[in-house]
Amino acid sequence: IILVTGEVGVGKTTILRRYLQIAAPQQQASPRPQKTVHLYNPNVTFDQLLTTILEQLGAQPVSADQSEMLKQLHGLVQAEHSAGGTVVLVIDEAQCMPVQTLEGIRMLTNLETAHEKLIQIVLTGQPELEGLLERHEVRHIRERIAVRARILPLTDAESFGYIQHRLDQASREQVS
C-alpha cells in the first residue's frame, strides 16, 4: 500500500488526475499494461467497493455475496497478472472511508501470488487519514503500508513559479 497525505488544497487530487491523464496513453503502449481503478468517493461499504472495482475492470459482479465477488476479483487480477499486466486501485479522499471498508481492504492485499501482490493500492487523503490508520481495528492495513508520502504546501517561491507557469500555459493556448 502507498499512502499519500496532505492538507486540503495542496494538490493531491490534481496530482492524481494528472498522473492518470499521463499514464493512460503510456499504459496502452507498455509491455506491462496497467489497469487503474480510481475511486473518488470512498464513503461506501466494502461490498460497494468490490462492485465498483469489478465494474471498472469491465466485469459485472456474478453475485452480491462478498466472498463470491472476492473470488471473481481474484480471477480477474490473476488473469491480468498472467497476461503481464498490473491492477492499481487508487482511492482518493480515503479519510472519508468507513472503518469497516478500510478493514476490508486488507482482504484485497491478500490477493497475491507466491512472489507479488496482484493489486497495488494507493490511498490518498487529508492528515485525518493518518489518524484513522492509527486505530486498532485497521492495524493490519497500517502494517502493510510500504511507502508513505506527505505533500506539503508550496513555498512562496514555488507558488510564484507555479502561477507563472500557468499564465505561460494559458498564453500559449490562446496563441494556438
Side-chain angles (χ1 to χ4, degrees), residues 6 12 31 49 56 93 96 110-111 114 124 133 135 143 161 166:
K12 300 175 299 294
L49 175 65
Q56 286 195 31
E93 299 294 342
C96 297
N110 291 336
L111 302 178
T124 68
L133 290 167
R135 292 179 62 159
E143 293 166 356
R166 297 295 296 186

Side-chain angles (χ1 to χ4, degrees), residues 120-168:
Q120 305 302 312
I121 301 171
V122 180
L123 300 175
T124 68
Q126 296 168 19
E128 292 85 358
L129 177 57
E130 294 170 357
L132 182 63
L133 290 167
E134 290 303 315
R135 292 179 62 159
H136 180 74
E137 307 96 304
V138 293
R139 68 190 179 283
H140 301 295
I141 296 295
R142 182 177 62 245
E143 293 166 356
R144 295 171 191 210
I145 297 172
V147 177
R148 290 177 182 259
R150 180 159 235 197
I151 299 174
L152 300 174
L154 298 178
T155 64
D156 289 346
E158 291 167 333
S159 295
F160 177 78
Y162 175 72
I163 292 167
Q164 188 61 54
H165 170 75
R166 297 295 296 186
L167 290 171
D168 292 345

Side-chain angles (χ1 to χ4, degrees), residues 46 50 53-54 57 66-78 81 87 89 104-121 144:
F46 186 61
L50 288 173
I53 294 169
L54 288 168
L57 291 175
Q66 188 178 103
S67 62
E68 289 298 317
M69 285 192 284
L70 278 167
K71 188 186 303 182
Q72 182 182 6
L73 178 59
H74 186 259
L76 285 171
V77 296
Q78 181 67 50
H81 175 75
V87 174
L89 171 62
I105 288 178
R106 178 187 56 80
M107 289 188 266
L108 299 180
T109 66
N110 291 336
L111 302 178
E112 59 190 356
T113 67
H115 303 290
E116 62 187 306
K117 299 291 184 185
L118 294 173
I119 297 181
Q120 305 302 312
I121 301 171
R144 295 171 191 210

